[in-house]
C-alpha cells in the first residue's frame, strides 16, 4: 500500500490532430448526450463465442509473452502508449463522439470545487492503483483521466456495436441488454424481487450509476470509486442533471469499503475487473458477498474471454490495448465464476450480452 498526494489541475495536453484544439481558438462542437433510457431490442451483431477459452494474446501463451516482452521495452512502450491514445481518440471522434470537446468542457468548468466534498483523506491507495494506466502516467488519479472518462465509456458501446447507426443505438444495445439481464436474474432468483438499495462499485464518473438509476428509479443508489477525481466529475454531472434520487458518492477502495454488512440488494461492477490484479478482484468479490443481503445480486459486466471478436483482434490492436491495460493477463486467467462460488455465491451465470462483453451474475443464498 502507498500514500499519494493529490495533484493540482494541470494544463490539458492531448496527442491527437484535429480542427478542435484545447488551447487558443477553438472550433465549437456540440457535445453528445447519451440517453440513459435503454431499449434492449435494438439490433446488434451476433453475440458469438470463439473456439478458445480466452484469446491467444492473453494469459501465458507464447504470443502473450512476446507482447509482454515488447511492452517491457520502455522506448517501445512509450510509443505504444502514445499510439493507443491516438487510436482511442481518433476512433471515438470518427464515430461522432466529440472526445476533446467533452474533455474541454469538464476541465474548464467548476468541477474542481467538488473535490473537497468527496475526498476521503484516510484512503490509502494500493500500489497497483498508482501505476501508469490507460495511457495516463498517474492512472486514474488525474483530472485528465476523469475529464475523458465519459467519452471513453461511450466509446465502449461503439466498439461493441460498430454497425449501430448512432451513439444512442449502440449504447441501448449494450446497456439495455446488461440491465435487462440483471433485472431478469434478480426477479428469477431473489426471494424478494424489490431492489431498494444499490451499490455501484467502480462507478467512475457516474455513467453506469445513471443507467442503474433509470432502471431502478425508486432505489437508493451509492456510487463508490477509488479516484476522487472521477467522483468529482460524477458529482458535478449529477449537479447539472439530477438523477431520480440523490446519489451518495463514496471515496473508498472496493476491496474494503467500510460499509455495513447486509446493506444492499444489488451490487454492480461495470468494466472494472479487467483493470485489477486477480487478487484484488477476489478480495472485491468477497467484499460484495459481505455487503449483500440474503437474496441479493452481484452483477459484473466486463470483457468476455470467450468473445469471438476479442479472440480475433488484429495484432496491432491487441498489442496497443495491452500496453495500456497492465492486468489483462491476470483478468483473462482468473476463473471469475469460480471465485464467486468460492466466496459463497450461488446460481452463478455468465451470459455474453454483446459481442465483446459478458454479464456475470450471482446471488447470496436466502
Amino acid at each position: 500500500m502507498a500514500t499519494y498526494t493529490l495533484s493540482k489541475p494541470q494544463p490539458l495536453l492531448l496527442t491527437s490532430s484535429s480542427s478542435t484544439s484545447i488551447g487558443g481558438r477553438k472550433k465549437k462542437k456540440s457535445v453528445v448526450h447519451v440517453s440513459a433510457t435503454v431499449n434492449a431490442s435494438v439490433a446488434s451483431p451476433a453475440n458469438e463465442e470463439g473456439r478458445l477459452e480466452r484469446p491467444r494474446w492473453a494469459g501465458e501463451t507464447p504470443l502473450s509473452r512476446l507482447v509482454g516482452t515488447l511492452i517491457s521495452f520502455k522506448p517501445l512502450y512509450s510509443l505504444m502508449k502514445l499510439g493507443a491514445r491516438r487510436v482511442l481518440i481518433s476512433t471515438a471522434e470518427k464515430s461522432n463522439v466529440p472526445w476533446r470537446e467533452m474533455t474541454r468542457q469538464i476541465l474548464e468548468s467548476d468541477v474542481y470545487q467538488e473535490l473537497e466534498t468527496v475526498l476521503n483523506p484516510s484512503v490509502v491507495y494500493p500500489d497497483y492503483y498508482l501505476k501508469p494506466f490507460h495511457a495516463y502516467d498517474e492512472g486514474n488519479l488525474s483530472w485528465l483521466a476523469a475529464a475523458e472518462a465519459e467519452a471513453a465509456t461511450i466509446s465502449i458501446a461503439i466498439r461493441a456495436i460498430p454497425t449501430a447507426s448512432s451513439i444512442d443505438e449502440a449504447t441501448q444495445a449494450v446497456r439495455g441488454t446488461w440491465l435487462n439481464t440483471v433485472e431478469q436474474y434478480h426477479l428469477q432468483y431473489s426471494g424478494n424481487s424489490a431492489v431498494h438499495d444499490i451499490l455501484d462499485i467502480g462507478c467512475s464518473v457516474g455513467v453506469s450509476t445513471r443507467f442503474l438509476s433509470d432502471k431502478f428509479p425508486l432505489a437508493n443508489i451509492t456510487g463508490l470509486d477509488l479516484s476522487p477525481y472521477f467522483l468529482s466529475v460524477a458529482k458535478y454531472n449529477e449537479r447539472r442533471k439530477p438523477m431520480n434520487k440523490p446519489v451518495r458518492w463514496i471515496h473508498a477502495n472496493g476491496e474494503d469499503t467500510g460499509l455495513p454488512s447486509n446493506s444492499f440488494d444489488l451490487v454492480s461492477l461495470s468494466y472494472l475487473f479487467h483493470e485489477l490484479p486477480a487478487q484484488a478482484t477476489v478480495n472485491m468479490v468477497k467484499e460484495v458477498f459481505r455487503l449483500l443481503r440474503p437474496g441479493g445480486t452481484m452483477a459484473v459486466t466486463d470483457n468476455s474471454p470467450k468473445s469471438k471478436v476479442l479472440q480475433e483482434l488484429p495484432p496491432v490492436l491487441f498489442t496497443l490495448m495491452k500496453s495500456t491495460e497492465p492486468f489483462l493477463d491476470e483478468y483473462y486467467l482468473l476463473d471469475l465464476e469460480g471465485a464467486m462460488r468460492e466466496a459463497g455465491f450461488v446460481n452463478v451465470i455468465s451470459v455474453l450480452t454483446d459481442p465483446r462483453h459478458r454479464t456475470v451474475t450471482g446471488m447470496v443464498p436466502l
Side-chain angles (χ1 to χ4, degrees):
M1 309 290 278
T3 56
Y4 183 84
T5 303
L6 295 177
S7 63
K8 295 180 180 180
Q10 299 295 320
L12 177 61
L13 299 175
L14 292 172
T15 56
S16 178
S17 60
S18 169
S19 58
T20 302
S21 62
I22 299 303
R25 292 189 177 183
K26 298 169 282 290
K27 182 179 177 181
K28 185 67 175 178
K29 285 187 179 180
S30 59
V31 173
V32 63
H33 296 284
V34 177
S35 170
T37 302
V38 292
N39 175 10
S41 64
V42 175
S44 64
N47 299 342
E48 284 189 70
E49 291 190 351
R51 294 177 294 174
L52 308 173
E53 286 298 308
R54 65 184 65 86
R56 286 193 178 91
W57 47 261
E60 298 175 347
T61 65
L63 179 57
S64 178
R65 287 194 291 270
L66 173 61
V67 174
T69 300
L70 294 173
I71 293 172
S72 67
F73 184 55
K74 288 188 177 179
L76 187 56
Y77 164 74
S78 297
L79 290 175
M80 288 181 181
K81 185 174 67 172
L82 180 61
R85 181 166 172 73
R86 284 177 171 166
V87 167
L88 282 172
I89 296 174
S90 64
T91 301
E93 294 194 332
K94 286 177 183 176
S95 301
N96 297 317
V97 179
W99 182 298
R100 283 166 293 183
E101 178 63 16
M102 294 174 72
T103 300
R104 182 192 66 78
Q105 289 198 9
I106 291 292
L107 292 175
E108 294 182 0
S109 72
D110 61 352
V111 66
Y112 308 103
Q113 71 185 33
E114 304 291 356
L115 183 61
E116 63 181 31
T117 70
V118 298
L119 178 64
N120 178 0
S122 67
V123 165
V124 178
Y125 297 99
D127 289 339
Y128 69 78
Y129 202 72
L130 302 177
K131 296 181 184 298
F133 191 73
H134 282 172
Y136 304 108
D137 290 338
E138 295 176 313
N140 288 340
L141 292 171
S142 73
W143 285 112
L144 180 57
E148 292 187 327
E150 184 169 3
T153 301
I154 294 171
S155 299
I156 290 174
I158 292 171
R159 288 195 300 272
I161 316 292
T163 57
S165 61
S166 67
I167 293 170
D168 271 338
E169 183 177 310
T171 301
Q172 288 169 2
V174 172
R175 297 287 185 170
T177 308
W178 158 59
L179 288 167
N180 286 347
T181 299
V182 172
E183 181 184 44
Q184 290 167 12
Y185 176 92
H186 190 78
L187 287 171
Q188 181 175 352
Y189 291 104
S190 175
N192 179 6
S193 60
V195 176
H196 298 290
D197 299 286
I198 299 174
L199 174 62
D200 187 14
I201 295 182
C203 67
S204 183
V205 296
V207 174
S208 57
T209 318
R210 187 173 295 278
F211 280 102
L212 288 164
S213 174
D214 187 74
K215 187 68 173 179
F216 304 97
L218 300 180
N220 302 304
I221 300 183
T222 299
L224 183 145
D225 202 274
L226 195 48
S227 171
Y229 301 98
F230 281 40
L231 290 170
S232 296
V233 174
K235 193 170 182 181
Y236 167 77
N237 285 338
E238 185 192 19
R239 175 158 55 88
R240 289 194 304 164
K241 185 180 178 182
M243 301 189 203
N244 289 297
K245 297 179 73 172
V247 175
R248 178 174 58 153
W249 303 106
I250 295 181
H251 178 211
N253 187 340
E255 297 177 66
D256 183 14
T257 63
L259 297 171
S261 300
N262 307 317
S263 52
F264 295 96
D265 303 299
L266 171 62
V267 176
S268 176
L269 307 99
S270 300
Y271 311 110
L272 173 63
F273 282 166
H274 76 275
E275 301 182 353
L276 302 177
Q279 188 56 55
T281 297
V282 171
N283 293 343
M284 211 166 288
V285 169
K286 293 176 180 177
E287 176 70 351
V288 172
F289 187 83
R290 182 187 71 82
L291 293 169
L292 283 167
R293 298 177 179 125
T297 296
M298 175 180 179
V300 178
T301 187
D302 213 320
N303 296 342
S304 173
K306 296 184 179 181
S307 161
K308 186 174 185 288
V309 172
L310 293 181
Q311 289 186 8
E312 296 179 356
L313 280 179
V316 171
L317 287 184
F318 67 64
T319 301
L320 290 176
M321 182 169 64
K322 291 189 75 172
S323 72
T324 66
E325 301 277 7
F327 305 112
L328 270 187
D329 285 337
E330 293 191 47
Y331 171 76
Y332 283 116
L333 285 172
L334 178 66
D335 177 6
L336 176 58
E337 295 91 330
M340 290 172 65
R341 292 187 185 100
E342 188 172 340
F345 287 96
V346 297
N347 301 322
V348 177
I349 298 174
S350 181
V351 179
L352 195 62
T353 43
D354 69 58
R356 283 175 175 252
H357 306 108
R358 62 179 174 175
T359 296
V360 186
T361 43
M363 187 191 77
V364 173
L366 293 166

